[in-house]
Amino acid sequence: MKENNQLQALNEALNDVFKELNSFNKRYKINLIYIFFSNFKSFSKENEYKFFSEYDNSVKFSLTFSESLLSIYPFNKLDNKKQKLVFINLKKEEYGFIDMYQFQNMLNGSLNNLVNKFIIRYKNIKKLVNVIYGNNILKENDKRLEFPLHIIKYIHISRLIDFKEFFEIKKNRQLIIVDNKNPFSLNELNSYNKKLQELKNNLPQLKKELLRFKKERKSMKKLWSIATAVRNPERLRNFLITLKEMEGQDWNTQSQEEFQARLVKNRFYGYSDSQFYSTLSQSTVQLIENLNHHISLTEAFNILREKNYPEGFAIRGRTSFKALEKVGLAFIQNGKIKISSLGNYLLKDNYDIGEIFFRSFIKWQYPNPKSRDFSNKNIYNIKPFIATLHLINKVNEICKKRNLKAKGISKQEFMIFGQSLLHYQDINSQAKRLIEFRVALESLQTIDEKKEYISNYIAEFLSEFNNATDGNLHDYADNTIRYFRLTRYITIRGGGFYIDLEPRRMIEIQKLLETDNASAREFMQDDYVAYMSDINQPLLPWEEKNELLKIYRGTLDDIRKLEAQTSTDAHPFSLENQEIEYLKSEIEKLREYRHKLQNIELKQQLQDLTQIDEVIDKLTNIRSQDLKPSIALEKYITHALNIINDAKEIKANSILSDDNDFIFTAPANKPDIECFYESFNSVCEVTMLTNRDQWHNEGQPVMRHFRDFENVSSHQNNYCLFVAPSLHRDTINTFWISVKYEYEGNPQKIIPLKISQVIQILETIKTLKLQNKSFSHLMFKQFLDDIVGLKNSVANSDEWLRAIPAVLNKFKQELLCN
């Protein structure tokens, strides 16, 4: 009886503490997460449930681990920008608080020792721990962690949560972790109650400390980075297509829910996402996965209701909208949804994703009225993209003055000095620090010395940055460089290790640097939204007659040099007038023609046997390239097609830099590659997808792109090559129907090939070259015809796919024997 009274008193005291901290948390928006660990093994099963259920109204969920497991649970994955941990450890008579970044660093030393001690004994526990220790992901049946069985039973006191929910804990939500290895004694209960009373008495002082802590944290520096929301440009366009369905509607809770539901309906959100599926019934997952079923809006609403988000799903709609708003693609005007001029440009068939990002990045600044992050004006005053151009330019200037090689900045230097550049007035000093770092690093002899120097330098130089973890540094830098390259004002050099200013855009870059010192402008919120959303703002400083004429003449000079190098007849160019819009249009035509000459140059270079070996190696190891695999596949299949035969032109529709390198995949409304020959034309579509998503993303679009191409082709004979690592049965079945019967009234000539089969063709071409034998596009056409012709001798799509290797082998043998 005494024990129960003591337990009840302890429970009541805890409630009082949580209630008061919760009220404080709500008022000051510190976003506390409470971690309480003590011993409740002596509870009966009924009392255990009762204890947790009393918290469920405010807690929403509770987890139970042993105290030792606290050290390996991935709290470092929580949002270190907002949340703080409050520790209440009655057994050790301690309490305190810490932020996520400090907590992560505190744990780093003990992780290795702990990870090897335990073995998983419960199949569902991997849902809770599969992000442990960085990239050290737990696999099915992994035996590195053990959770004692008597601890596991608490998992079901409330529902099993997934990580996405766990990481999105907001204010007024507590996380309770209980250590139940040893039961309480009555003396312990009495002692713990006294300690808890002392804690209650000390709450005013704890609150003062928390406010001081919040103020200090606010003054700490943070690396800037490209937001996660803009990491996938095609996803942004899909979100925008969905929002366009609602343009003009009031923006309120109902429309926010509807926007998120429409994203689910269109399979732009949640589809093929195991994390999204984790809390859905099997029948609901099957409904989403059934691509023959068009999800209705009502069904989409029901799917989101089944997700049972604690905060509702309107907030999900607001988050999805913010991704568009941040880039300036959409905004709220007079309470209604509005697609911006920049957004409407992205919705056009002929949009240029590089232009979208350039127009957004030249305006992107910190601080800005739409972001609470980087709001301290004493620390932040910068336009990151413009500042990066200034930094590279300044580094190159210093190198020239010191008789050092001007080579831009390395990706590692950008990681350290680029994203830690927070104020435009620090550009010169940051450039000098970068050069000092480079000189010191290059003076070291061994790799180990260099690694130690870099590690120590980062630890000291970035010690004031609260998000400068090793993972963040590399992730931020890689992502930022990838998207800055889309603007075509940044180029890669030095074997992919350095970034530099694009030499073919130096007139534009110099004008930009002369007129913008990278300082942030002052805006009211509505003015900033309007500014970001207007594709015509700001006025570009080189868009006046004299500067545009310089750009035109410089580009024409490049063309004449390429014509000489490729033995191409000079193309006549002339200006009919000097109006601004006309000059801009003519410059774009010159750049397009320059790409055509660069493709001729590329084709000539690829005839070298060593180049064939390189392309074979790149395709063999397509997932190991410096580029994203999807971009790498478009690049090296384009190279392969240039090697294979005597095409008049192989034209990739990928986003290309001014030096003709691949920087992003082809837009969704065009074939990946177009091929033009004397006797026929073709398109080539490539994908890295191998599961049923291959059919969903490529089936209809490939046939539609091909039919559009056929309709405008100069030849009656047209073919479509489809290349992937492997070929899904549903994809093949769709193509088979088009080949055997029809698509939109007429059959098509689609040839599905694996990457490995393209490699076999390249190896055969190499052998022919070694034997001084020629290979023409007519031979390649015969190979394509033979695969299409299989429709007359096989019964179905499975037999068609199985027969293709035999056709390939016959093709190779005939080439080598003739």
Side-chain angles (χ1 to χ4, degrees), residues 523-711:
F523 285 101
M524 298 297 288
Q525 181 167 304
D526 289 346
D527 293 337
Y528 181 73
V529 170
Y531 177 65
M532 288 296 295
S533 303
D534 189 349
I535 194 171
N536 297 313
Q537 290 196 65
L539 295 175
L540 300 177
W542 57 87
E543 290 192 347
E544 53 92 13
K545 187 178 74 171
N546 290 335
E547 296 302 322
L548 289 173
L549 284 171
K550 288 180 187 176
I551 296 168
Y552 179 90
R553 290 164 186 154
T555 310
L556 188 56
D557 286 344
D558 282 348
I559 285 172
R560 297 307 181 211
K561 290 175 185 175
L562 281 167
E563 286 172 336
Q565 291 168 8
T566 57
S567 302
T568 303
D569 293 338
H571 190 286
F573 289 101
S574 62
L575 290 174
E576 296 176 3
N577 64 66
Q578 296 185 0
E579 296 294 327
I580 300 299
E581 291 304 315
Y582 174 75
L583 286 173
K584 288 164 59 178
S585 174
E586 290 302 300
I587 288 168
E588 288 309 309
K589 289 178 183 177
L590 288 181
R591 286 173 173 160
E592 187 175 342
Y593 183 69
R594 182 172 62 190
H595 276 309
K596 188 171 184 177
L597 292 172
Q598 288 167 329
N599 286 335
I600 294 172
E601 183 180 44
L602 173 67
K603 185 174 181 64
Q604 292 173 353
Q605 293 169 348
L606 287 169
Q607 302 314 305
D608 186 272
L609 290 176
T610 59
Q611 292 292 315
I612 299 176
D613 287 334
E614 182 177 342
V615 174
I616 289 172
D617 178 69
K618 299 294 187 183
L619 288 173
T620 303
N621 303 289
I622 197 66
R623 297 185 187 276
S624 305
Q625 305 309 312
D626 194 37
L627 292 168
K628 287 178 64 176
S630 56
I631 305 173
L633 186 58
E634 287 191 16
K635 176 177 180 175
Y636 292 110
I637 289 296
T638 299
H639 288 192
L641 290 169
N642 272 294
I643 290 168
I644 286 173
N645 51 49
D646 53 348
K648 292 194 296 183
E649 182 183 9
I650 304 293
K651 178 188 174 186
N653 286 317
S654 312
I655 307 300
L656 303 173
S657 61
D658 282 355
D659 61 357
N660 212 38
D661 198 9
F662 287 63
I663 52 179
F664 205 74
T665 55
N669 58 335
K670 294 182 179 179
D672 294 334
I673 307 164
E674 298 176 27
C675 310
F676 302 94
Y677 305 86
E678 287 291 343
S679 304
F680 69 96
N681 291 332
S682 74
V683 298
C684 181
E685 300 278 9
V686 307
T687 182
M688 288 300 296
L689 297 173
T690 56
N691 57 17
R692 200 162 185 258
D693 289 350
Q694 184 187 89
W695 169 73
H696 178 241
N697 289 347
E698 304 291 340
Q700 284 289 324
V702 165
M703 296 188 297
R704 184 173 62 253
H705 293 166
F706 183 31
R707 179 49 42 87
D708 291 343
F709 179 82
E710 288 176 296
N711 290 338

Side-chain angles (χ1 to χ4, degrees), residues 724-740:
S726 61
L727 301 166
H728 192 273
R729 59 187 295 187
D730 292 346
T731 310
I732 295 303
N733 189 55
T734 297
F735 292 161
W736 167 254
I737 292 170
S738 176
V739 170
K740 177 73 173 176

Side-chain angles (χ1 to χ4, degrees), residues 21-281:
L21 282 175
N22 209 38
S23 175
F24 174 79
N25 182 20
K26 185 174 182 180
R27 178 179 177 185
Y28 293 103
K29 297 181 180 178
I30 295 181
N31 295 328
L32 303 174
I33 298 175
Y34 307 101
I35 299 183
F36 167 70
F37 37 103
S38 191
N39 300 49
F40 285 88
K41 189 174 181 182
S42 58
F43 273 32
S44 69
K45 188 171 183 181
E46 182 179 347
N47 284 337
E48 287 166 353
Y49 182 82
K50 181 181 177 183
F51 173 80
F52 284 101
S53 65
E54 287 178 1
Y55 285 97
D56 275 351
N57 289 333
S58 58
V59 174
K60 302 298 181 189
F61 58 82
S62 48
L63 305 176
T64 309
F65 289 168
S66 71
E67 182 179 338
S68 62
L69 292 176
L70 177 65
S71 298
I72 58 171
Y73 197 79
F75 289 108
N76 56 308
K77 298 291 182 180
L78 287 166
D79 183 355
N80 61 38
K81 294 183 291 188
K82 297 180 180 178
Q83 292 155 332
K84 315 292 182 289
L85 302 179
V86 173
F87 291 93
I88 306 170
N89 188 344
L90 299 179
K91 194 161 188 176
K92 293 186 179 178
E93 303 179 2
E94 296 174 348
Y95 69 90
F97 58 93
I98 195 168
D99 79 329
M100 293 296 172
Y101 179 64
Q102 291 170 319
F103 187 60
Q104 175 188 354
N105 290 339
M106 181 181 78
L107 296 183
N108 281 343
S110 61
L111 281 169
N112 284 325
N113 294 330
L114 287 162
V115 164
N116 295 321
K117 288 184 179 179
F118 305 96
I119 300 173
I120 286 184
R121 295 185 184 274
Y122 185 73
K123 62 181 180 180
N124 287 332
I125 203 66
K126 64 187 177 64
K127 290 186 180 179
L128 297 173
V129 295
N130 68 351
V131 190
I132 281 178
Y133 197 26
N135 293 324
N136 195 9
I137 309 272
L138 291 174
K139 307 296 184 186
E140 191 85 34
N141 302 320
D142 201 312
K143 297 186 178 298
R144 280 176 292 169
L145 298 170
E146 175 185 323
F147 292 82
L149 293 178
H150 66 274
I151 292 175
I152 299 306
K153 62 187 177 185
Y154 291 111
I155 295 297
H156 291 291
I157 287 171
S158 59
R159 62 194 177 81
L160 192 65
I161 60 165
D162 63 35
F163 268 107
K164 189 169 185 181
E165 280 182 82
F166 183 72
F167 296 155
E168 291 174 357
I169 298 170
K170 298 297 182 185
K171 60 186 178 183
N172 306 331
R173 205 68 43 79
Q174 295 106 22
L175 169 65
I176 301 176
I177 297 184
V178 178
D179 167 23
N180 63 351
K181 288 189 295 186
N182 301 302
F184 282 115
S185 68
L186 287 176
N187 288 337
E188 284 178 319
L189 284 172
N190 187 49
S191 173
Y192 293 162
N193 270 316
K194 288 180 181 178
K195 292 295 176 185
L196 198 52
Q197 292 299 329
E198 291 176 15
L199 171 60
K200 288 173 65 177
N201 294 335
N202 287 334
L203 277 176
Q205 182 61 33
L206 175 61
K207 292 175 184 177
K208 288 181 182 178
E209 290 295 309
L210 280 167
L211 289 175
R212 181 187 61 78
F213 179 79
K214 180 181 180 182
K215 187 176 181 181
E216 288 178 358
R217 289 287 294 147
K218 192 174 181 180
S219 67
M220 285 192 74
K221 298 175 181 178
K222 293 190 342 184
L223 305 170
W224 55 261
S225 67
I226 303 289
T228 304
V230 300
R231 293 187 179 188
N232 188 337
E234 283 302 325
R235 191 172 191 230
L236 277 183
R237 189 170 189 266
N238 290 337
F239 276 34
L240 193 64
I241 289 169
T242 301
L243 189 68
K244 185 72 174 177
E245 300 170 5
M246 301 175 61
E247 187 173 18
Q249 290 188 28
D250 291 334
W251 185 242
N252 51 34
T253 300
Q254 289 72 34
S255 59
Q256 290 156 14
E257 290 180 344
E258 182 182 340
F259 178 42
Q260 197 63 22
R262 285 183 179 276
L263 290 172
V264 172
K265 171 183 175 292
N266 295 339
R267 290 186 171 87
F268 295 151
Y269 184 90
Y271 170 71
S272 197
D273 184 343
S274 58
Q275 196 173 67
F276 185 79
Y277 290 167
S278 63
T279 55
L280 296 175
S281 67

